[in-house]
Amino acid sequence: MQTTLTADVPPLNDPGVTLLSTDQAALLELLDTVPTLRCSWGEPGDTGLSTNVSVVSADQADSVRDILNTSGFGCESQGDATICRIEQRGVSLDDKPYTRGETQAVQGSYWITTSWVNIDPDGYTQDILAALAR
């Protein structure tokens, strides 16, 4: 996955990227209180993604699932993980079409939040989950 992202949407962790990993206010509040590692791909602009990998308690994981289920995300179980997605398409103020969305996953004590614009790498979240399982 790193090879793909390096080729398709460099660089890793550009300091100018301010894209949050979620737009959900209740989830942003929780992110401020749990141990989190953040990374981003891309430069400030029209294409990129931002991911947080956080450690949560069982109660916090349940809260995340509840918020996602009531916020319009489509959720499904994949193994012992719950993966939720939401996507929207639009046209920017300068008449450029865009696609943006979020993919979130909860597996055990891990919570992964990713917000993306014009790039949604196939298998990205699953790759993170697999790396955490090692």
Side-chain angles (χ1 to χ4, degrees):
M1 184 59 64
Q2 184 175 3
T3 302
T4 298
L5 292 170
T6 299
D8 292 349
V9 62
L12 172 63
N13 295 329
D14 184 303
V17 173
T18 59
L19 180 66
L20 300 174
S21 67
T22 184
D23 286 340
Q24 304 299 310
L27 297 179
L28 286 170
E29 289 177 20
L30 178 58
L31 275 174
D32 283 341
T33 66
V34 296
T36 298
L37 176 65
R38 180 184 188 278
C39 71
S40 65
W41 287 95
E43 297 174 329
D46 297 337
T47 303
L49 58 91
S50 174
T51 299
N52 285 351
V53 177
S54 304
V55 177
V56 293
S57 69
D59 288 343
Q60 290 168 326
D62 288 342
S63 291
V64 168
R65 285 187 201 92
D66 290 344
I67 291 167
L68 294 171
N69 281 318
T70 59
S71 298
F73 282 74
C75 298
E76 64 183 12
S77 294
Q78 290 186 8
D80 60 347
T82 301
I83 299 178
C84 303
R85 295 180 47 81
I86 195 166
E87 180 178 306
Q88 69 181 152
R89 295 175 188 274
V91 178
S92 68
L93 294 175
D94 54 351
D95 291 326
K96 292 183 181 179
Y98 69 87
T99 305
R100 69 163 308 278
E102 290 184 30
T103 304
Q104 303 211 21
V106 178
Q107 180 176 12
S109 62
Y110 294 113
W111 171 34
I112 297 135
T113 60
T114 300
S115 180
W116 50 269
V117 178
N118 293 326
I119 185 157
D120 181 19
D122 188 39
Y124 178 75
T125 299
Q126 293 81 352
D127 190 69
I128 295 169
L129 289 170
L132 292 170
R134 290 185 210 142

